Amino acid sequence: MALIETRDLSRVYDLDAGRVVALDSVSLDIDQGDFVAVMGPSGSGKSTFMNLIGCLDRPTGGQYRLAGTAVESLDADGLARLRNREIGFVFQQFNLLPRVDALGNVELPMVYAGFDRRTRRERALQALGRVGLADRAHHRPMQLSGGQQQRVAIARALVNSPSLLLADEPTGALDSRTANEIMALFQELNREGATIVLVTHDAEVGRHAQRLVRFRDGRVIEDRRQTPVDARDLAPEAAE
Amino acid sequence: MRLVEAIRSAFSAIMANALRSLLTMLGIVIGVAAVIAMVAIGSGARNLVDSQIRSLGANLAIVTPGNVTQGGARLGAGAASSLTDEDARAIRREIDGVVAAAPFVQGGAQVVAGGNNWGTRIYGIDLDWFSAREWDVATGRTFDPEEVRRGDIVILLGQTVARNLFGEDDPIDQIVRVRNVPFRVIGVMAPKGQSAFGQDQDDVVFVPLDTGRRRVIGRNYAKDGSVGSIFVKFANESDIVPGIESMTELLRQRHRIIGEQEDDFSIRNLTEIANTATASANTLSMLLAAVAAVSLLVGGIGIMNIMLVSVTERTREIGLRLAVGARPRDILSQFLIEATTLSTIGGALGIALGAGAAYLVAQLAGWPSLVSTNAILMAVGFSALVGIFFGFYPAQRAAKLDPIEALRRE
């Protein structure tokens, strides 16, 4: 069964300068356990697509089902709930809370899910262990390297066991070696069953995915399966 | 998000900008301090007035001798005693609403009992004294009419005097000497405590009026039945002002003062003095209330301002929170709680400052003040309300942010 189903999904902006069709009738299915790279130049509609499937925005036309839920009919609270339960976001700029330690950052989605303190602590530690940062639980973002910060962000994305990991240029702020480590982590999570949608303009990054969807002018112009490049081959030390 | 955690996270947000937060709170601090000081001083003043009235007796006027002109030389007030027993009797008889007119003489005296002696004030009084001053004995009895009429050598001791002369022993029926005259103690007065001006009102002894005049206090009193002053007690407060007018008329007639001649006595309305104190306390309260209102308003605007800055600064954080599943109302309550925490901390500091100020006023001006629990609760409530009221707009702005826009903001 497809985790993500979009039918004629459209997003039109009515700006002072006129109508802008950011996304034009996109119909796309993404299966559970897939690793999809969404690519395209800026203005191609890939970010709009990501915002829509991430339930951050609502379409102006078409339908979108995420894990069986018809997203286009939800109100703001319903969207928030869906983001909380079904989606884990990873951003280019990490977006960690600077005053809170790694553990607290990872706990954040569970705060809004209404878990008690102890459960939160337990699961957050688990998630941090999963990304190899169990020993950094009480470091603040400032005390961590870029790669470590992005791992904390990934732990935060994982902690509510979402059905979809949504990464927006997750390696954009990292050097190539660290970027490789992060991609290796994504591939590992994918092997364990995580569905990942990764938005990037970087062809090198896109090569790590199993499926490549290319956007231009709000439409899908290419959609193919590929043999992913194993990030471990490029950075063997990152695999431990 | 649970309230306790929300407050904890609000605290950490406030502490992250400690100086800024402190400056923001200043308006609230001053406002609440003014409220606390206002209420403390106001209720203190009311208590002061109450205790004045209570320790003097309610609805009281006092007639004192005025200046006397002798051969062209104007002597000061009280230089000669122009009032007499007869004046008191006339007042009691002829003025409407008078329930007691208590003439008295007073002086200093050394009271000796066995090996002990004690310097104190001695009053010569008649029976009206007890009702005018609303003062009775604690043990023993007061004078009987015959003792007063005859001028018997009996004495009533104030609590302080009794304690200093007799310690724990019962002074009733003991003999004390004043100016070598042996007085028999017939009673000990009920304790009155300190007067509003810090005098020990229990450091006093009472003897019958004639006894005092003839044997203890002064020779000039003895001649013509003259007295020091007269306490006049009225039945109702509304009787006092007309009563004073007719007393003035009566005493001028009795003293044969005519036309433009000055009175040789003066009459003061003690309740009015108390009311004046209340009025000035009220004025001070109003002033502080105005300061409080303005400060709370300014403080609230300060909080709104800083919360708007904070929302702008933390736009990305808001975007992130929305992305991980915060509902708009979670964001709203987060910022509301932050504003309210800020204003409530300000309120707490204000309470401390206000209580300190009230204490200082009490110490420096000798004006008793009272920081009440009600005032504290009111202040906390007020400052929280200010936080909610002025925090609402910024919080709502935060809650209405579009997550995509917010995440993109630098």
Side-chain angles (χ1 to χ4, degrees):
Chain A
M1 186 197 107
L3 177 66
I4 291 174
E5 288 173 62
T6 76
R7 292 291 172 270
D8 300 322
L9 198 65
S10 300
R11 181 68 169 95
V12 177
Y13 293 97
D14 279 311
L15 303 176
D16 294 341
R19 263 164 65 95
V20 176
V21 181
L23 203 67
D24 190 1
S25 298
V26 171
S27 299
L28 201 74
D29 287 3
I30 293 172
D31 288 329
Q32 198 126 32
D34 210 347
F35 188 167
V36 182
V38 174
M39 299 197 59
S42 65
S44 62
K46 66 177 195 299
S47 292
T48 306
F49 181 70
M50 191 208 71
N51 290 336
L52 285 174
I53 65 171
C55 303
L56 289 166
D57 196 7
R58 257 175 293 197
T60 48
Q63 291 96 47
Y64 167 35
R65 294 177 80 83
L66 170 64
T69 309
V71 177
E72 69 276 0
S73 61
L74 294 175
D75 61 0
D77 284 2
L79 288 177
R81 194 182 152 83
L82 208 58
R83 288 197 295 266
N84 186 242
R85 305 284 155 87
E86 303 294 347
I87 301 168
F89 286 94
V90 180
F91 303 96
Q92 180 174 4
Q93 294 301 333
F94 324 137
N95 282 336
L96 299 175
L97 302 183
R99 294 186 312 271
V100 182
D101 64 12
L103 198 64
N105 268 291
V106 176
E107 281 183 28
L108 195 62
M110 290 188 288
V111 169
Y112 293 113
F115 287 107
D116 64 63
R117 245 175 114 72
R118 220 185 22 192
T119 313
R120 281 185 350 222
R121 185 123 303 201
E122 225 165 75
R123 291 209 200 167
L125 272 171
Q126 232 166 30
L128 277 175
R130 182 68 201 78
V131 300
L133 285 179
D135 56 335
R136 296 284 193 278
H138 295 293
H139 286 54
R140 293 192 176 202
M142 284 286 285
Q143 300 163 311
L144 297 170
S145 71
Q148 287 170 331
Q149 289 186 53
Q150 193 61 300
R151 281 164 188 272
V152 172
I154 292 170
R156 180 179 65 195
L158 290 173
V159 79
N160 265 357
S161 313
S163 40
L164 174 66
L165 265 188
L166 200 51
D168 183 11
E169 302 278 9
T171 57
L174 303 173
D175 62 63
S176 61
R177 215 189 84 160
T178 316
N180 235 331
E181 288 172 18
I182 295 296
M183 289 317 296
L185 179 58
F186 275 124
Q187 286 187 322
E188 201 181 316
L189 293 170
N190 176 240
R191 273 194 297 277
E192 289 167 9
T195 312
I196 299 173
V197 174
L198 183 144
V199 178
T200 183
H201 68 280
D202 185 343
E204 279 301 310
V205 173
R207 284 166 60 208
H208 296 97
Q210 294 168 344
R211 179 181 172 190
L212 196 142
V213 177
R214 197 180 298 278
F215 278 78
R216 183 179 292 162
D217 299 328
R219 290 170 174 279
V220 175
I221 58 161
E222 185 185 354
D223 183 356
R224 63 176 168 83
R225 300 229 142 249
Q226 62 182 15
T227 311
V229 172
D230 195 331
R232 283 178 299 187
D233 295 342
L234 301 168
E237 72 272 31
E240 307 132 30
Chain B
M1 188 151 35
R2 255 156 277 179
L3 191 64
V4 182
E5 288 180 39
I7 291 172
R8 192 180 302 137
S9 100
F11 257 102
S12 88
I14 288 164
M15 290 315 290
N17 280 303
L19 180 64
R20 189 169 92 179
S21 303
L22 195 71
L23 291 175
T24 303
M25 287 175 208
L26 216 52
I28 303 285
V29 172
I30 293 170
V32 168
V35 170
I36 292 288
M38 167 188 82
V39 174
I41 293 169
S43 60
R46 227 180 342 272
N47 280 2
L48 172 73
V49 169
D50 279 356
S51 72
Q52 266 176 342
I53 292 174
R54 231 180 302 119
S55 72
L56 274 173
N59 303 335
L60 216 53
I62 185 165
V63 186
T64 50
N67 46 353
V68 181
T69 306
Q70 278 183 353
R74 294 171 75 224
L75 307 175
S81 187
S82 53
L83 296 171
T84 63
D85 291 0
E86 277 308 315
D87 289 334
R89 271 194 283 272
I91 288 169
R92 202 176 306 156
R93 207 168 47 231
E94 291 177 30
I95 307 298
D96 287 339
V98 169
V99 293
F104 64 94
V105 295
Q106 58 172 318
Q110 205 70 16
V111 183
V112 185
N116 290 332
N117 72 92
W118 184 252
T120 187
R121 306 280 315 156
I122 183 163
Y123 282 78
I125 59 173
D126 74 1
L127 292 177
D128 269 18
W129 176 272
F130 302 102
S131 54
R133 294 294 313 273
E134 295 171 16
W135 200 354
D136 206 346
V137 289
T139 56
R141 58 174 181 83
T142 55
F143 308 128
D144 68 30
E146 279 302 298
E147 286 169 335
V148 173
R149 197 184 55 76
R150 288 194 302 259
D152 282 358
I153 305 170
V154 289
I155 195 165
L156 295 169
L157 305 184
Q159 287 278 340
T160 304
V161 179
R163 198 176 50 249
N164 278 291
L165 291 181
F166 294 100
E168 296 302 306
D169 299 339
D170 183 11
I172 308 290
D173 286 332
Q174 301 290 319
I175 300 297
V176 299
R177 291 177 168 276
V178 182
R179 301 243 163 104
N180 259 337
V181 182
F183 284 86
R184 185 163 60 88
V185 177
I186 60 166
V188 176
M189 300 301 286
K192 272 261 183 193
Q194 286 204 337
S195 77
F197 309 102
Q199 263 176 332
D200 180 4
Q201 298 183 88
D202 297 320
D203 189 3
V204 69
V205 295
F206 296 106
V207 297
L209 185 58
D210 262 344
T211 318
R213 273 196 293 237
R214 269 186 268 122
R215 297 184 180 271
V216 193
I217 295 163
R219 276 156 275 301
N220 59 333
Y221 285 128
K223 297 172 203 157
D224 44 6
S226 67
V227 296
S229 310
I230 305 169
F231 273 123
V232 181
K233 184 179 175 62
F234 292 87
N236 300 301
E237 196 176 339
S238 56
D239 294 332
I240 302 176
V241 172
I244 286 174
E245 250 173 65
S246 30
M247 272 197 293
T248 307
E249 206 48 47
L250 175 71
L251 290 175
R252 279 176 73 90
Q253 273 178 23
R254 293 182 52 82
H255 296 186
R256 303 205 165 74
I257 299 162
I258 42 166
E260 295 296 299
Q261 264 182 291
E262 267 185 87
D263 297 343
D264 63 353
F265 58 91
S266 69
I267 305 176
R268 277 182 298 155
N269 179 346
L270 294 178
T271 307
E272 189 178 61
I273 292 169
N275 288 346
T276 309
T278 312
S280 60
N282 283 345
T283 309
L284 192 60
S285 290
M286 292 296 287
L287 203 68
L288 283 167
V291 171
V294 171
S295 290
L296 285 177
L297 185 71
V298 171
I301 292 169
I303 283 183
M304 189 191 291
N305 181 37
I306 220 69
M307 290 311 293
L308 283 172
V309 170
S310 177
V311 168
T312 306
E313 278 178 351
R314 288 154 65 191
T315 300
R316 278 175 78 95
E317 175 189 326
I318 295 163
L320 183 269
R321 286 178 183 273
L322 288 168
V324 302
R327 292 162 303 177
R329 80 175 88 123
D330 293 324
I331 301 296
L332 182 81
S333 63
Q334 181 191 342
F335 279 90
L336 262 187
I337 287 168
E338 212 167 298
T340 309
T341 307
L342 198 62
S343 67
T344 309
I345 295 173
L349 293 178
I351 288 168
L353 192 70
Y359 176 78
L360 214 66
V361 167
Q363 292 298 302
L364 295 182
W367 200 332
S369 70
L370 198 76
V371 179
S372 67
T373 323
N374 274 350
I376 288 173
L377 289 179
M378 197 177 78
V380 170
F382 248 104
S383 49
L385 271 182
V386 165
I388 291 170
F389 185 78
F390 288 96
F392 192 78
Y393 173 66
Q396 205 184 27
R397 248 169 79 148
K400 278 185 177 165
L401 281 173
D402 175 43
I404 301 165
E405 287 293 316
L407 280 167
R408 206 174 285 158
R409 202 81 61 85
E410 282 311 310

